[in-house]
Amino acid sequence: MSTDRTPVGDADVCVIGAGPAGALVADRLADAGRRVVVLEAGPRFDPDDRLERQERAIRPAYDRPDVWDGDPERDVHVSSNEDWFYPLNHTRVKGVGGSTLHWQGMVMRLHEDDFDSASERGVGVDWPIGYADLRPYYAEAEREIGVAGADDNPFAPPREEPHPMPAFKPSYSDGLFAEACENVEIAMHSVPNARNSEVYDGRSACVGYGTCQPVCPSGAKYDATVHVERAEERGATVIDRAPVQYLEHDADSISAAVYATPDGEHRQEADSFVIACGGVETPRLLLLSESEQYPNGLANSSGLVGKFFMDHLFAGMGGTLEEPTRQNHVGFLTSESHQFYDDADEEVGPFKLEFFNYAGPSPVESALGGDDWGDELLERLRREYGTQVGMGALVEQLPREDSYVALDPDRTDDRGNPVPDVHWNVDERALRTLERANEIQREILEELGAEITWQVGPENTGPAYHHMGTTRMGDDPDESVVNARLRTHDLENCWIVGSSVFPTGGAMNPTLTIAALALRAAEHVDAELK
């Protein structure tokens, strides 16, 4: 493996970030014959280490950041809103592959009304593009990633072709929920998953390790290293451990990305730049690149870089049954419900219901987390394991200007740069939506006959770690950072890809929309280079 981290000469495009958005853009542009260089802040992980990382994931001595080598000095951050603390490092990964190394792997399309929230729901803003504009790119993204799904969701937006692979069969616990849902007239349907239900694209079918989040040892779950490696085969250069410190520029364009390496600092020049650092690090990089031309941060003539930070909120409920549930038999979701999603209005937002296959601890976690052994351990496992059920829900948070990512004036990272301050706020509509989701979850669980033992709702909700909105797209340069083609309004050779461009978040896991937008943006970047 090469450790040459020197700049690439005559680069057409410099992509900053090797997560799903950056990887897809790099692969598409390399395939078009462009000279592409990718700068990634974190390391390239050895795939042979994934079993060891799986072991870390199930041992209580390790925290989530330890699984993918989180660095407290490199990744330090601040959350300045005391009312809504944001645990940024709990589920982020810096490295080649980015967040897809540890993600759950659910890939839904946004609904049609998600693109027209202001017009259809009376809140938020409308996107400058509609579902019809993104629809062919959704299909392309599903083929690129490899999605297992079915056409059994009557509430989903229209599609043009079947999913690339058949859906995973409903789990045993899904079957327990099905009768209760039928009795209370709630429809269940399959979950589209970015994991192989059969051999696909040279990767094996899922073999059931069950540790999907935060590590899939088999490679059956898609991660962005697939497209990073493909881009390299097509001639792209990927430089890891190369955090970009700032972007050199004049009033109209970027000239170079200045990046640090273990061996020193370098300048990567290119004709065009694509920033794909995620919803926190993308605005941070732009703010770190302030200058005389852009005293408030690069591409920030609107003053909105970092503003409108959004996440999805979690609502959950669970308990126990007086019968086996095979908890943790499947490590991902196989059933959900979008039945209430399009009821959204000004008062209650969109949400989707999830039926957990992994409620309660696994037997391994239970055993490792206790002090007992032998017969005592066996008796405790029989008593505590195997009868738990749970439900979840994702809830939309509206964009608000007082929810933002900024530079902290006092803290710096291991390179001496100001760290991100994630100042997270949550709107009242989201809290009402959490209450509504909890009401439906309780109805289902009581119909199931469960003894409810836990609830996550308005008072103790938390984020889903989907960082959105901080460089929003729009037609008006005074009200957005990038246009409908994801090029910045201020700079003629700078594009931003990723969920930071979402004007609103909906309540669907964002990665498929990230991928679709990245494929669409790659076309526009390539066209501008001709």
Side-chain angles (χ1 to χ4, degrees):
M1 186 181 300
S2 173
T3 56
D4 180 7
R5 296 185 173 90
T6 57
V8 173
D10 298 322
D12 295 313
V13 184
C14 175
V15 178
I16 304 171
L24 283 163
V25 169
D27 175 57
R28 191 52 55 93
L29 291 174
D31 188 44
R34 302 301 180 182
R35 191 168 175 83
V36 179
V37 58
V38 181
L39 301 177
E40 167 55 47
R44 186 191 296 258
F45 299 105
D46 188 340
D48 292 338
D49 294 340
R50 291 197 177 189
L51 279 173
E52 181 183 339
R53 296 185 189 282
Q54 179 200 35
E55 214 173 279
R56 290 186 204 173
I58 62 176
R59 289 184 178 274
Y62 293 95
D63 200 2
R64 283 292 296 273
D66 297 326
V67 176
W68 292 102
D69 302 345
D71 184 331
E73 293 185 10
R74 181 196 65 189
D75 302 335
V76 63
H77 69 96
V78 171
S79 180
S80 60
N81 187 354
E82 295 180 1
D83 294 329
W84 289 96
F85 175 77
Y86 197 87
L88 178 61
N89 284 339
H90 181 65
T91 60
R92 71 167 171 167
V93 176
K94 286 189 177 179
V96 175
S99 60
T100 54
L101 293 171
H102 74 125
W103 68 320
Q104 180 64 272
M106 294 183 288
V107 278
M108 304 84 175
R109 301 182 182 194
L110 288 173
H111 284 213
E112 291 169 290
D113 285 357
D114 287 324
F115 294 90
D116 301 301
S117 182
S119 300
E120 299 298 327
R121 296 168 178 160
V123 290
V125 295
D126 290 346
W127 291 43
I129 61 174
Y131 177 75
D133 297 307
L134 209 55
R135 183 173 170 177
Y137 298 97
Y138 270 135
E140 192 174 353
E142 288 167 347
R143 292 191 297 269
E144 286 290 327
I145 288 174
V147 176
D151 296 333
D152 63 338
N153 180 355
F155 315 105
R159 30 183 324 110
E160 49 299 304
E161 60 189 47
H163 293 85
M165 290 175 282
F168 287 89
K169 294 179 180 179
S171 70
Y172 180 84
S173 60
D174 286 348
L176 297 176
F177 277 112
E179 183 177 353
C181 284
E182 184 177 358
N183 291 342
V184 296
E185 299 183 334
I186 292 174
M188 294 175 66
H189 49 78
S190 63
V191 177
N193 274 286
R195 53 176 48 80
N196 294 351
S197 59
E198 59 190 23
V199 174
Y200 185 87
D201 197 25
R203 308 194 316 273
S204 76
C206 175
V207 295
Y209 276 109
T211 57
C212 315
Q213 192 178 32
V215 57
C216 172
S218 72
K221 183 184 72 174
Y222 170 83
D223 66 67
T225 63
V226 169
H227 284 93
V228 168
E229 291 168 4
R230 191 175 298 170
E232 289 179 301
E233 290 170 0
R234 290 168 169 164
T237 299
V238 178
I239 303 175
D240 72 337
R241 301 180 190 269
V244 176
Q245 306 298 287
Y246 59 91
L247 299 166
E248 292 183 354
H249 59 272
D250 57 24
D252 301 316
S253 61
I254 297 173
S255 56
V258 177
Y259 63 97
T261 73
D263 304 316
E265 203 165 85
H266 302 279
R267 294 176 68 258
Q268 176 62 58
E269 298 180 355
D271 294 332
S272 293
F273 291 80
V274 178
I275 305 176
C277 307
V280 173
E281 293 295 340
T282 288
R284 182 192 181 204
L285 175 58
L286 295 173
L287 295 172
L288 287 172
S289 301
E290 64 180 2
S291 64
E292 290 184 6
Q293 296 98 333
Y294 294 98
N296 297 316
L298 186 59
N300 196 24
S301 63
S302 65
L304 297 181
V305 167
K307 300 294 178 64
F308 301 111
F309 174 76
M310 298 175 289
D311 203 323
H312 293 129
L313 297 169
F314 176 75
M317 191 175 295
T320 59
L321 294 178
E322 292 184 357
E323 63 177 296
T325 62
R326 297 188 189 175
Q327 67 192 63
N328 281 286
H329 184 67
V330 180
F332 54 92
L333 300 183
T334 45
S335 292
E336 61 177 352
S337 178
H338 295 186
Q339 180 168 330
F340 306 94
Y341 196 93
D342 290 326
D343 294 342
D345 56 21
E346 294 182 36
E347 293 299 312
V348 176
F351 65 95
K352 68 179 177 78
L353 295 170
E354 303 170 336
F355 300 90
F356 287 167
N357 292 319
Y358 43 82
S362 72
V364 175
E365 290 170 326
S366 295
L368 292 174
D371 297 323
D372 44 5
W373 299 91
D375 291 343
E376 291 182 3
L377 171 60
L378 182 60
E379 179 58 32
R380 180 169 63 81
L381 291 178
R382 285 172 174 165
R383 184 175 65 252
E384 296 179 356
Y385 177 73
T387 59
Q388 300 191 43
V389 289
M391 294 185 63
L394 280 193
V395 167
E396 179 184 53
Q397 173 190 355
L398 287 173
R400 45 190 289 171
E401 200 164 342
D402 64 351
S403 188
Y404 58 82
V405 174
L407 299 180
D408 186 77
D410 302 316
R411 300 285 299 276
T412 56
D413 63 12
D414 59 341
R415 296 283 177 180
N417 294 316
V419 305
D421 171 16
V422 183
H423 189 97
W424 188 40
N425 265 310
V426 175
D427 59 282
E428 292 296 322
R429 176 174 176 262
L431 299 178
R432 289 192 296 271
T433 310
L434 290 166
E435 290 181 2
R436 176 64 177 140
N438 280 159
E439 288 173 1
I440 298 169
Q441 290 166 341
R442 182 174 295 277
E443 182 181 16
I444 294 170
L445 288 166
E446 288 180 347
E447 179 65 28
L448 188 60
E451 178 187 353
I452 296 173
T453 58
W454 61 270
Q455 173 180 334
V456 176
E459 293 79 19
N460 61 343
T461 186
Y465 306 100
H466 301 152
H467 309 144
M468 302 174 287
T470 51
T471 59
R472 57 158 44 170
M473 75 166 89
D475 292 327
D476 185 348
D478 292 331
E479 299 295 333
S480 56
V481 178
V482 300
N483 64 21
R485 295 188 169 194
L486 305 192
R487 190 174 74 176
T488 58
H489 291 298
D490 296 347
L491 302 160
E492 62 187 18
N493 71 337
C494 178
W495 283 259
I496 298 175
V497 294
S499 53
S500 67
V501 305
F502 289 15
T504 57
M508 295 296 170
N509 304 63
T511 303
L512 190 68
T513 303
I514 290 171
L517 286 170
L519 292 169
R520 185 172 183 267
E523 286 185 3
H524 297 312
V525 175
D526 186 48
E528 290 288 332
L529 287 167
K530 290 179 179 177

